[in-house]
Amino acid sequence: MARKLRLLGILVFLSILLTSQAFAAGKLVTTVENLCVVPYYTDSYYGYVFAELGNTGDKPVQFSTGLLELFDPDGNSISSTDVYYCFPPVLQPGEKAYTYASSYVETKDKNFISDHMLTITGKGTISQKIVNLKSTGSYKQITDYYGTYDYLVAVIENNTEDVLSMCEVVFAVKNAEGNLLYVSNSSWSGYNVGVMPGSSLEMRVQMGTDMTNYMKDNGIVPATVETIAYYTTSV
């Protein structure tokens, strides 16, 4: 009897061990999604989807593929497009990233685009290393000779010990309640220009007039801009 109990205990232990190993993987999931139906000329609309992603697993995960589908009020698929990028492309456990995509539909009825589905897949094979940089973001209206435009601005600090010759940044615009409104990204590289350790650079990206008009028409007010700055190297 004691021998049987010991054998049972060993089997239970092995089962727990195998189960824990099975869950030892990165898991890329969407945590927040925002669909904006934006007019394009007089007879068509774009369905923009902005999303926050997270790694809910316990290992690193790398973005693999994505697909955005738009649906009419009856649940019929009316448009689709591939999602090619995630910013940043590799997430450690608990980290987050952002992505965005749009698809075009010929219709005069903005309510024709009534729903969407965003499918994101990750992979455990990591081919890139992410080096994170300190950054802060802001939303500014900048006036020049031609007019006033809406910009997303990131101040990025080189907090590494090396001369920085490239970097990327993703901007996540949110309202006062912290809800995601808009996502964009930008990148910089300098072949013979670098940012010394401890120094900073400023990167700007202009918001498209279609999105700024959409926000104004719907009473949407940007309040904060969250930024993730980084550069990638090979593993």
Side-chain angles (χ1 to χ4, degrees):
M1 183 66 179
R3 182 180 179 183
K4 290 182 178 180
L5 289 175
R6 284 196 299 271
L7 180 59
L8 179 61
I10 293 172
L11 291 174
V12 170
F13 172 77
L14 290 175
S15 176
I16 294 173
L17 179 63
L18 290 174
T19 301
S20 63
Q21 289 178 342
F23 284 100
K27 186 176 182 182
L28 187 63
V29 299
T30 59
T31 55
V32 178
E33 298 177 21
N34 179 29
L35 170 65
C36 300
V37 180
V38 180
Y40 183 69
Y41 292 111
T42 58
D43 57 354
S44 56
Y45 283 84
Y46 268 101
Y48 287 96
V49 171
F50 309 104
E52 181 180 297
L53 312 178
N55 180 4
T56 61
D58 54 9
K59 296 290 183 181
V61 64
Q62 182 166 320
F63 172 81
S64 178
T65 60
L67 179 68
L68 169 64
E69 294 180 87
L70 301 178
F71 299 92
D72 67 13
D74 296 323
N76 301 308
S77 179
I78 53 177
S79 183
S80 65
T81 188
D82 292 322
V83 181
Y84 295 102
Y85 302 104
C86 167
F87 311 98
V90 178
L91 285 74
Q92 298 295 324
E95 288 187 338
K96 63 181 176 181
Y98 293 94
T99 189
Y100 60 94
S102 64
S103 197
Y104 168 86
V105 177
E106 291 187 359
T107 179
K108 293 184 179 180
D109 180 10
K110 68 176 182 179
N111 296 318
F112 186 60
I113 304 175
S114 65
D115 201 359
H116 77 283
M117 181 168 67
L118 180 63
T119 304
I120 298 293
T121 59
K123 58 183 179 181
T125 303
I126 309 300
S127 61
Q128 295 176 299
K129 178 183 177 181
I130 303 298
V131 179
N132 292 303
L133 303 167
K134 292 182 180 180
S135 65
T136 56
S138 60
Y139 176 88
K140 294 182 179 180
Q141 289 188 323
I142 299 175
T143 302
D144 60 18
Y145 179 81
Y146 299 99
T148 301
Y149 304 95
D150 298 270
Y151 280 90
L152 307 178
V153 181
V155 176
I156 303 167
E157 178 186 341
N158 180 8
N159 55 291
T160 73
E161 296 180 354
D162 302 315
V163 177
L164 183 67
S165 61
M166 67 177 70
C167 67
E168 298 184 60
V169 60
V170 60
F171 302 85
V173 182
K174 300 182 178 182
N175 63 14
E177 289 73 37
N179 299 316
L180 182 64
L181 303 177
Y182 177 78
V183 174
S184 186
N185 74 291
S186 186
S187 61
W188 167 80
S189 62
Y191 294 104
N192 55 359
V193 177
V195 179
M196 299 300 292
S199 299
S200 300
L201 74 155
E202 181 180 278
M203 293 178 63
R204 299 177 183 176
V205 60
Q206 184 180 343
M207 289 185 64
T209 55
D210 56 348
M211 280 303 304
T212 56
N213 290 337
Y214 169 84
M215 290 184 183
K216 292 174 183 176
D217 293 342
N218 291 274
I220 300 172
V221 180
T224 61
V225 177
E226 180 181 306
T227 56
I228 302 175
Y230 60 95
Y231 68 89
T232 60
T233 63
S234 300
V235 173

